[in-house]
Amino acid sequence: MRYLPTMLAGSALMLASGAIAQTVDEQMDGADAVTPQEEAADPTMADPGSSEPAAEKAFTDAEVSSFAGAMMELQALTGDAATKQQQANEIIAQSGIDTETFNAIGSAMQTDEELARRVRLAAAELQPQPAE
């Protein structure tokens, strides 16, 4: 059972990079690029919709469960990198949570042990039980 949290976290980070890139590309369409240094230098440039950092955001049980289910599907992907990325984007889109929330949960799991525990429990509940 210890293998599952490691796989969930590792898969989240690996696949989240593509999802993050997609989110950034979507946000940048038609917008002027702002470097991270410029944003850090001017706090008024921060996203007004995000009043709390991702690591401190409280995720609902439904979001955690959707994340865990998507991660389990993502772990089963096969094929080349491009195919996996396309399938991953589809799985995340169908998971019931948006890409930003998916990425936030994956990132927050790295530092928030309680969140990681919640994801492990949700994944365990979603796993088929062996026949007795």
Side-chain angles (χ1 to χ4, degrees), residues 11-127:
S11 298
L13 290 176
M14 179 181 72
L15 295 169
S17 63
I20 289 170
Q22 181 182 9
T23 302
V24 170
D25 289 344
E26 290 169 358
Q27 292 173 351
M28 293 307 293
D29 286 345
D32 292 331
V34 176
T35 65
Q37 292 82 6
E38 291 172 329
E39 187 171 331
D42 184 1
T44 61
M45 296 180 82
D47 182 15
S50 61
S51 60
E52 54 185 291
E56 295 177 15
K57 181 178 190 247
F59 298 103
T60 66
D61 289 341
E63 289 171 329
V64 169
S65 182
S66 294
F67 175 86
M71 286 308 303
M72 291 173 67
E73 288 185 54
L74 294 173
Q75 290 173 354
L77 293 180
T78 59
D80 63 33
T83 302
K84 284 183 181 180
Q85 187 60 52
Q86 182 179 0
Q87 291 171 337
N89 290 338
E90 291 172 8
I91 289 169
I92 293 168
Q94 296 171 358
S95 70
I97 57 175
D98 58 37
T99 305
E100 186 176 294
T101 302
F102 180 87
N103 291 332
I105 293 172
S107 295
M109 280 181 59
Q110 303 306 308
T111 56
D112 185 344
E113 184 55 39
E114 176 60 21
L115 177 60
R117 184 190 66 77
R118 289 175 59 204
V119 171
R120 287 191 302 269
L121 288 174
E125 289 177 5
L126 295 171
Q127 287 183 335

